[in-house]
Amino acid sequence: MDTKIAPPIPTNESSRLAALCQYQILDTIPEKAYDDITLLAASICRTPVALISLIDANRQWFKAKIGLEAAQTPREIAFCAYTILQQDIFIVPDALEDERFARNPLVTSDPNIRFYAGVPLITSDGYALGSLVVIDFIARELEPQQIEALKSLGQQVVKLIELRRTVLKLENIAQKHKKLHKNRQKFFQRIAIALGLTSVMVAGAGFYSYRSLSNIVAVGDLPVSNYKVIQELEDIHSSIQKVAIAKHRYLRSSEVRYLDPYYQAREEIQQKLNQLKKDVKNDPVRQSRVAALEILIAQKLIEIEQTITISQSQELGNASVPQLMEQSKQLSDRVETTIQSMQAAENQSLQKRSQSLQANTRNSSVIFFGGILLNFAVLAIVYYFMRREISERQQVEVALEQERDFTFAILDTIASLVVVCDFQGKIVRFNRASEQATGYYSNEVKGSYLWSLFVPPEQVNIVEKAIGDLLTGTPTNEYEAYWIARDGSRRLIAWSNTTLRNPAGAVEYIIASGIDITERFLAAQELKESQQRYQDLFENASDLIQSVALDGRFLYVNRAWLETLGYSESEIFGLSLFDIIHPDDHAHCQELFGHVIGGERLNNIQTSFMTKTGHKILVEGSASCKFVDGKPIAAQSIFRDITLRRQTEVELQKANEQLCLSVKQLEQRNHEITLLSEISDVLQACRTTEEAYTAISTFLKLMFPDLPGGIFLTNASKNLVEVVVSWGPPPLTSNSIFSPSECWALRRGRPHFAGTLHGNLQCRHLDRPIPAASLCVPMIAQGEALGMLYLSSPESATPIEAKQQLAITVAEHIALALANIKLRQTLENQSIRDPLTGLFNRRYMEESLEREIQRCDRKQQSLGVIMLDVDHFKRFNDTFGHEAGDSILKELGQFLQKYVRGSDIACRYGGEEFTLILPEVSLEITNRRAEQIREGIKHLSVQYRHESLGQITLSLGVASFPEHGVTGQVVIRQADAALYRAKQEGRDAVRVAL
């Protein structure tokens, strides 16, 4: 411990520790996002341990870990204390070979670190907070792809940490806003209390003023009532007078028209009395007075009514008039007196109430103005507190605004995606990283629903559910969803949501922070596929793969192992390695097993396994030991069943000898096929049977060098078979000419083999000495037997037996080739010869003439042409018929063929005209030959149906190349002209062209 090397301290340590504290990440609970990154790092680098460590003043603390139990270690022994000093990845391939770590307790004892690779987690401020680490217990190196992947994962960790600080900032601002809101509520509560007190005071003063004013109004209303009653009494008195006047007018004039004012006044009196009773209904004294007045008025009205009635009936006498007048006067005085007394009482009441109203008004004014002054004092106090509160609030708002600007600046510079939405999901804030990831600007997306722009249709429900859970208080803290950018590309984002709530506790804003994990996801997918491929390779391998514990128990075997040895998967856990090893190999395998668990890797191991059924199989393979923490935990081996291979090796040796023989046979067969192909090509090129015979003789000597034989062809009459080709040093052991019936092959139409055991079945055409074996193969083409191929072996039947199939094939090819040659010769003959005369036709004559002229021209020689015509040929036809004419032409053709050279060309030019081409002959000789033909034809006797046709004469025209022309057409034309001149000059003559 005393010799270990302590890691150096960074120059910016105090600032780095302060920055680490700002993130508030130390000693927090595990989070899935960090755990996923460590798992992915371990998988990519194929290490048993992966960590996310943070270095504070005295320790390294693990935010996430895979393959390690400890939650923290002292900083003085931490590898990561060196990593935070780097700007790039820090790799220790072998800790035991590095003097900085060779005596480190983490290396010399548990967990026995041998390999270390760490990526520093450097924030945007340039502070290295910790590292993303992979550890192995064996010395090793990372591949370049693994290093790049580890760096990318380190950047993802930094984004997560930066995102955490941003979210904390936003939450802090929200808490400050909440606190400010609470202080504002307290302030408004104080204002409300002060205003409440003011309102109570105002209400008290108002209540008292109200009562005073009510009394004043009430007192003020009473004089009005008095005035109203006095006025109504005046109106009643006036109406009574109107009634009395109307009565007197009626009595004096007896005119009915004076009764209308009477009835109107009476109605008015009744209305006024009713109104008066309403006005005094709350005053019993006044009611009694009104009742007395009403009675007097009623009596007065009755008296007037009676007077009018008497007047109408004219019963009114002079003696009763004074009496009625007196009675009326008394009632009028009583009514008037009553009205005056009531008016006096109302005036007295009015005077008293006026005095009371003045006193109440004076008291109310004093109380009202006192309340107003008190309210002004309270409002002045409230204004003072409000002014102080507003000043403090402005200071807080300035501080919050500065902090908000700072937070927004962080949001725009952070690498993580941050989106702020309202409770409906509409975008409020969109940081710069989100703009870069999507291709949209912040002002383009504000007010839009989050899922309407970026979320694929199939994942809208995920985002809506997450927002719904936040609103209902059951948040989905973390989820993954795809984002669609402006260009249509998709990015996988890992989201973490939080909320900002208003003072009432309702969600006001939703903060969604995300990290682009597309590359990480693709890497994970690739890793998963790689693992699946490895698993498929392992399971589908044809070799026997097994993992065995140190005590020999099976831990795992693959499918091929189970199928080969016949065990089920459940049975292997009760087996030991030595249960399947053949007893003869136990001691040797125990020795090998000890070497393997000792760390030695063994190759080319050969041993024997026993299947479940007791069958022995031979296996060959390799074995090694798996170590964890430097300790062996299992022996792993791969074997291949070589039982069949061993058996195959023995059989292969036997087959190799057979193969060599087969190769020789194949080489011979290939040679034969080559020769067969060549003879076929040569025979196809032959134009005459003579050429074919020569080719057949040449190739059959090569194909059957040890078997003498020959080719026999049937003659035209089909009664004889004659040899045309033979080969071999020994003489031909067959007759050269024999009858077809003497050959079994020709008689049966199939190959006939005769050996020493077939003496009675040998062909009769065989000649002595009789060969040991013979083979006759009929040559049949187009259903016709052309002949046969004959082979013989003087000493043994084996060579013929080996060549029998070849002989059959050769016979078929030769038969077909000879048939083709004969067919070609027949077709050529038919195409160039006249069928009646047997001479060449005109087409052949024209081709031959040009060819012969060119040849003679090259040789500087002449060429003669004779054109001849039968004289009076039409007469023969007319006299004896056309068949007789054909007989003349046929005899003439035979005559010409006899009288020309082999190099001369005799042609039928057309009708009874013939042409002779005489190459390399002068004009003189041509003329002489024409004369000979003219004379010779006269001696020709032609009979038709035993009747002589008479003497035949010819007219002939002679021309020569190059005297009469340099082309065939010119020479023929000149000869034809000479012919016609001979006919014109008497026929039976020869004329030379001019």
Side-chain angles (χ1 to χ4, degrees), residues 154-414:
Q155 294 173 0
Q156 295 291 328
V157 175
V158 173
K159 290 181 180 180
L160 284 175
I161 296 175
E162 294 279 2
L163 183 61
R164 178 185 183 86
R165 183 177 69 172
T166 302
V167 173
L168 288 174
K169 284 280 186 183
L170 293 173
E171 290 178 348
N172 187 31
I173 291 175
Q175 291 295 331
K176 288 184 178 181
H177 275 289
K178 196 170 184 180
K179 183 177 180 182
L180 178 63
H181 183 74
K182 288 182 179 179
N183 292 337
R184 192 182 306 165
Q185 282 185 326
K186 290 180 180 179
F187 167 71
F188 283 118
Q189 286 174 356
R190 297 192 195 102
I191 296 298
I193 292 172
L195 293 177
L197 291 174
T198 304
S199 299
V200 169
M201 294 171 63
V202 172
F207 177 71
Y208 182 79
S209 299
Y210 171 74
R211 289 187 61 187
S212 300
L213 290 174
S214 297
N215 290 333
I216 293 171
V217 170
V219 173
D221 288 343
L222 289 175
V224 174
S225 177
N226 293 134
Y227 284 122
K228 189 175 183 181
V229 170
I230 293 171
Q231 183 63 40
E232 289 173 349
L233 289 172
E234 288 287 343
D235 293 340
I236 292 172
H237 183 262
S238 175
S239 297
I240 291 172
Q241 289 178 348
K242 290 180 181 179
V243 170
I245 292 170
K247 180 193 73 170
H248 288 299
R249 288 181 178 176
Y250 177 73
L251 290 178
R252 283 198 300 270
S253 64
S254 297
E255 293 182 7
V256 180
R257 62 187 180 87
Y258 290 111
L259 289 178
D260 291 336
Y262 161 73
Y263 290 123
Q264 291 177 358
R266 204 170 90 175
E267 288 293 330
E268 290 178 359
I269 291 171
Q270 190 59 44
Q271 291 176 358
K272 296 296 183 182
L273 282 174
N274 290 337
Q275 182 64 38
L276 184 59
K277 284 191 286 184
K278 289 182 182 179
D279 292 339
V280 299
K281 63 180 179 179
N282 295 327
D283 191 345
V285 176
R286 297 166 76 187
Q287 284 180 349
S288 63
R289 292 175 184 165
V290 172
L293 178 63
E294 186 177 13
I295 293 171
L296 291 174
I297 293 173
Q299 291 174 354
K300 178 64 177 177
L301 293 176
I302 293 171
E303 179 269 326
I304 295 171
E305 186 69 30
Q306 289 176 351
T307 303
I308 294 173
T309 304
I310 293 171
S311 175
Q312 289 176 345
S313 63
Q314 296 181 357
E315 293 178 356
L316 184 63
N318 293 330
S320 59
V321 172
Q323 184 180 355
L324 289 175
M325 295 279 292
E326 184 63 26
Q327 185 180 355
S328 175
K329 184 176 181 303
Q330 289 177 359
L331 286 173
S332 296
D333 291 341
R334 287 175 65 185
V335 170
E336 186 174 356
T337 302
T338 301
I339 289 174
Q340 287 178 355
S341 65
M342 289 178 69
Q343 287 179 339
E346 291 297 327
N347 287 329
Q348 187 178 2
S349 176
L350 180 61
Q351 185 176 4
K352 289 180 180 180
R353 287 172 178 171
S354 296
Q355 293 174 354
S356 176
L357 178 61
Q358 290 177 358
N360 287 336
T361 302
R362 197 166 41 249
N363 294 334
S364 297
S365 299
V366 172
I367 293 171
F368 179 73
F369 284 112
I372 289 176
L373 291 175
L374 184 59
N375 283 335
F376 274 123
V378 173
L379 290 174
I381 295 171
V382 170
Y383 173 76
Y384 168 74
F385 284 110
M386 286 182 66
R387 182 60 182 266
R388 189 178 69 178
E389 180 69 21
I390 290 172
S391 177
E392 292 176 354
R393 180 181 172 185
Q394 287 177 343
Q395 293 176 358
V396 172
E397 286 181 348
V398 169
L400 286 175
E401 187 174 356
Q402 292 175 348
E403 192 164 358
R404 182 196 64 190
D405 294 340
F406 177 69
T407 303
F408 285 163
I410 293 176
L411 284 178
D412 285 336
T413 56
I414 194 172

Side-chain angles (χ1 to χ4, degrees), residues 876-890:
F876 287 104
N877 283 337
D878 294 341
T879 303
F880 301 102
H882 288 284
E883 292 182 357
D886 290 344
S887 297
I888 294 174
L889 295 177
K890 187 182 298 183

Side-chain angles (χ1 to χ4, degrees), residues 620-684:
E620 181 183 56
S622 60
S624 61
C625 185
K626 180 180 179 180
F627 289 85
V628 174
D629 299 339
K631 300 175 183 178
I633 62 169
Q636 298 174 332
S637 56
I638 302 176
F639 287 99
R640 179 170 296 175
D641 184 358
I642 62 171
T643 306
L644 183 61
R645 191 181 80 186
R646 285 290 179 86
Q647 296 173 354
T648 304
E649 286 175 354
V650 175
E651 295 175 358
L652 186 62
Q653 187 173 2
K654 295 179 181 179
N656 187 44
E657 297 175 358
Q658 183 66 30
L659 180 62
C660 291
L661 179 60
S662 299
V663 167
K664 291 181 179 179
Q665 293 176 349
L666 288 174
E667 289 176 350
Q668 179 63 29
R669 182 64 55 84
N670 184 55
H671 177 66
E672 293 171 353
I673 292 173
T674 302
L675 291 175
L676 186 62
S677 176
E678 290 181 2
I679 191 174
S680 297
D681 292 341
V682 171
L683 290 176
Q684 290 292 329

Side-chain angles (χ1 to χ4, degrees), residues 801-815:
E801 290 175 348
K803 297 283 188 175
Q804 185 171 354
Q805 185 60 44
L806 176 63
I808 294 172
T809 304
V810 169
E812 292 175 353
H813 280 71
I814 292 175

Side-chain angles (χ1 to χ4, degrees), residues 600-611:
E600 187 176 351
R601 178 179 179 86
L602 300 180
N603 297 316
N604 301 321
I605 303 172
Q606 290 190 0
T607 185
S608 301
F609 283 176
M610 296 292 293
T611 66

